[in-house]
Amino acid sequence: MSTIPVSERIRYRLVSADCRHHANDNIADFIEDGELDELQAEVQAKMQEVLKALVIDTESDHNTQETAKRVAKMFVREVFRGRYEKAPAVTEFPNVERLNELMIVGPITVRSACSHHLCPIMGRVWIGLMPNEHSNLIGLSKYTRICDWIMSRPQIQEEAVTMLANELQERVQPDGLGIVMEADHFCMHWRGVKDTGTKMTNSVMRGAFLKDPALRREFLSLLSNK
């Protein structure tokens, strides 16, 4: 096994390819077989040092003896896995019936994390689509899988919704796309002002949803009824 830490090997490939690797970027194409296990082990070792710096005695404290291992697994395999795993396989179907009516999917429960404090972001997403005869139709559950893949990264809500819109626009190629996300931010609930009542709602409107006020109103009015 190489003596160079796996994080440095992955970073070298990214930098050599002049590829951005911000907190909310997917870097799966630059991770080789077996390296995710190495990365998890490296994160575990670094997290153990964080606990030590916090003056937590993980040797005699039975509650924290496995904390570094659990946190490393959580970051790499669960809450941030959207950075390290390739996009989910999604079967696409041609729009044989030439459907061109408003479709709404949601609310989809989404979980993310604020890239400022790594605190949870918990919310719901609604997706509106106006397909055309050339659009690719995907199964209902696939919207949830794509949302989960995009959201399972450290990020801010405004960028998360835009990234989701980009992914769906490329896959479905609709005439119009509208996305609304409403979420609780635990960086506000848990720390700072500790305001538990505030939510953030934002949207992205493209194509027909941006140009046609009547369509946009229909989409938003149907959401308010939900």
Side-chain angles (χ1 to χ4, degrees), residues 40-41 43-45 47-48 51 64-76:
Q40 183 176 326
V43 173
Q44 178 179 335
M47 184 54 60
Q48 186 64 40
L51 294 172
T64 58
Q65 286 175 354
E66 298 291 316
T67 294
K69 179 179 180 180
R70 287 190 290 262
V71 171
K73 179 182 178 183
M74 177 184 72
F75 281 161
V76 176

Side-chain angles (χ1 to χ4, degrees), residues 102-191:
L102 173 62
M103 300 166 48
I104 298 178
V105 180
I108 299 171
T109 300
V110 293
R111 303 164 184 85
S112 192
C114 167
S115 53
H116 298 157
H117 296 95
L118 303 187
C119 287
I121 298 173
M122 311 288 284
R124 300 181 299 171
V125 165
W126 291 266
I127 300 167
L129 290 161
M130 180 62 74
N132 59 55
E133 61 183 291
H134 304 295
S135 294
N136 296 316
L137 305 180
I138 62 178
L140 185 62
S141 67
K142 303 307 185 290
Y143 290 100
T144 300
R145 292 183 185 278
I146 293 170
C147 280
D148 182 63
W149 180 66
I150 292 291
M151 296 296 168
S152 295
R153 309 171 192 184
Q155 56 198 326
I156 62 173
Q157 183 173 333
E158 301 94 311
E159 293 179 357
V161 173
T162 299
M163 292 180 73
L164 178 59
N166 292 343
E167 186 71 23
L168 290 174
Q169 184 72 41
E170 183 177 347
R171 287 177 179 270
V172 182
Q173 296 293 319
D175 277 346
L177 173 66
I179 297 177
V180 174
M181 179 174 174
E182 175 191 79
D184 288 296
H185 289 244
F186 282 72
C187 57
M188 282 188 62
H189 296 350
W190 195 23
R191 56 160 300 281

Side-chain angles (χ1 to χ4, degrees), residues 200-217:
M200 178 177 179
T201 302
N202 67 320
S203 66
V204 172
M205 302 290 169
R206 294 187 176 169
F209 284 86
L210 188 62
K211 299 175 182 177
D212 186 345
L215 176 62
R216 185 165 61 251
R217 283 196 300 269

Side-chain angles (χ1 to χ4, degrees), residues 23-74:
N24 58 351
D25 288 326
N26 180 275
I27 59 172
D29 289 341
F30 297 87
I31 300 175
E32 297 180 356
D33 290 345
E35 287 188 333
L36 211 53
D37 290 333
E38 287 186 67
L39 189 63
Q40 183 176 326
E42 183 180 337
V43 173
Q44 178 179 335
K46 298 292 177 61
M47 184 54 60
Q48 186 64 40
E49 290 301 309
V50 170
L51 294 172
K52 183 178 179 181
L54 291 170
V55 198
I56 296 175
D57 181 2
T58 58
E59 293 184 8
S60 60
D61 180 2
H62 62 281
N63 290 318
T64 58
Q65 286 175 354
E66 298 291 316
T67 294
K69 179 179 180 180
R70 287 190 290 262
V71 171
K73 179 182 178 183
M74 177 184 72

Side-chain angles (χ1 to χ4, degrees), residues 88-104:
V90 175
T91 303
E92 301 173 358
F93 304 94
N95 187 5
V96 176
E97 298 297 326
R98 299 188 175 186
L99 302 174
N100 64 349
E101 301 294 334
L102 173 62
M103 300 166 48
I104 298 178

